[in-house]
Amino acid sequence: GDSVTQMEGPVTLSEEAFLTINCTYTATGYPSLFWYVQYPGEGLQLLLKATKADDKGSNKGFEATYRKETTSFHLEKGSVQVSDSAVYFCALLNQAGTALIFGKGTTLSVSS
Amino acid sequence: NAGVTQTPKFQVLKTGQSMTLQCAQDMNHNSMYWYRQDPGMGLRLIYYSASEGTTDKGEVPNGYNVSRLNKREFSLRLESAAPSQTSVYFCASRSGTGGIGELFFGEGSRLTVL
């Protein structure tokens, strides 16, 4: 069945460092892909998405490119801030288009 | 501008007790979902409702029941709570059209079963 694999955390960085969080997926066809972010004590909110191969989603300085050759959707940011500290989830829309399947999440901690 | 509202936010139960988590959305979305979040497990889908009047099992439905009361409301019931159901529960909704609609989440309900 459909699944998402994310790199294990926690990821600990200094402010202004470069961030990469790896995400790969297993699915039939070419599902829509998403990154969600969860700040402490809150629900998840959409960070960015891509709906077809080679699409690049971007928001708040974060980017991810849909790579069908490597079935990947890695999240990147050039210069992280303390306020980026959160849990990041990669997700895909299942084949039926009825539900999102999430990875296990990656905790990011940024220190000043 | 409420979005998705869940109640209660916190609940402590004893093993064997029952309870219902309530969820309501004011965005006129067709699809609604219940997920549970556990450390190291990410979010796992319990049940979903693609449209009013329909419900379907997700990845971990055992021990739960749901009701799509109307287009706005989607409740999750634990008939006989077990310690394994200690978790944070999230309700979410999506417009459900075109297959790429954004999922909107509530703030979560933290349930502890003793």
Side-chain angles (χ1 to χ4, degrees):
Chain A
D2 298 343
S3 66
V4 175
T5 302
Q6 290 180 236
M7 63 185 289
E8 299 277 336
V11 174
T12 303
L13 295 173
S14 298
E15 206 165 24
E16 300 183 2
F18 184 84
L19 168 71
T20 299
I21 300 178
N22 291 337
C23 171
T24 58
Y25 67 90
T26 300
T28 303
Y30 304 107
S32 295
L33 301 173
F34 305 81
W35 276 101
Y36 278 79
V37 59
Q38 182 182 32
Y39 298 104
E42 299 183 9
L44 281 72
Q45 53 187 278
L46 180 67
L47 181 59
L48 54 84
K49 67 181 180 184
T51 58
K52 61 183 188 294
D54 299 325
D55 265 2
K56 177 185 283 188
S58 61
N59 186 25
K60 300 181 181 179
F62 291 89
E63 294 183 340
T65 301
Y66 191 141
R67 303 286 189 198
K68 67 177 182 179
E69 307 85 9
T70 53
T71 61
S72 65
F73 193 54
H74 304 322
L75 182 68
E76 297 181 334
K77 187 175 186 182
S79 177
V80 293
Q81 305 299 313
V82 172
S83 56
D84 293 327
S85 298
V87 183
Y88 293 82
F89 292 91
C90 186
L92 64 81
L93 186 65
N94 68 359
Q95 186 180 17
T98 51
L100 263 68
I101 309 299
F102 287 86
K104 294 185 179 181
T106 303
T107 299
L108 171 64
S109 178
V110 181
S111 57
S112 58
Chain B
N1 198 18
V4 179
T5 304
Q6 295 180 229
T7 56
K9 287 188 167 45
F10 300 93
Q11 184 72 49
V12 179
L13 292 177
K14 295 180 180 178
T15 298
Q17 288 185 318
S18 62
M19 77 158 298
T20 299
L21 298 175
Q22 307 285 353
C23 175
Q25 53 91 7
D26 62 2
M27 295 172 282
N28 200 36
H29 286 167
N30 292 319
S31 303
M32 297 186 72
Y33 306 81
W34 278 106
Y35 288 88
R36 59 178 290 174
Q37 182 178 22
D38 302 290
M41 300 296 292
L43 273 78
R44 293 180 293 169
L45 182 64
I46 304 171
Y47 271 94
Y48 67 97
S49 171
S51 61
E52 187 178 354
T54 69
T55 60
D56 288 284
K57 295 178 180 179
E59 181 185 355
V60 288
N62 291 345
Y64 305 96
N65 286 302
V66 290
S67 296
R68 184 73 183 267
L69 305 170
N70 48 55
K71 192 170 185 179
R72 289 187 65 246
E73 299 172 288
F74 188 41
S75 62
L76 179 71
R77 182 161 178 83
L78 287 71
E79 291 291 352
S80 179
S84 61
Q85 294 178 305
T86 294
S87 187
V88 181
Y89 292 85
F90 286 98
C91 179
S93 70
R94 187 169 74 96
S95 64
T97 57
I100 58 172
E102 175 182 350
L103 210 63
F104 290 84
F105 283 83
E107 293 184 345
S109 298
R110 184 175 295 275
L111 174 65
T112 301
V113 183
L114 302 175

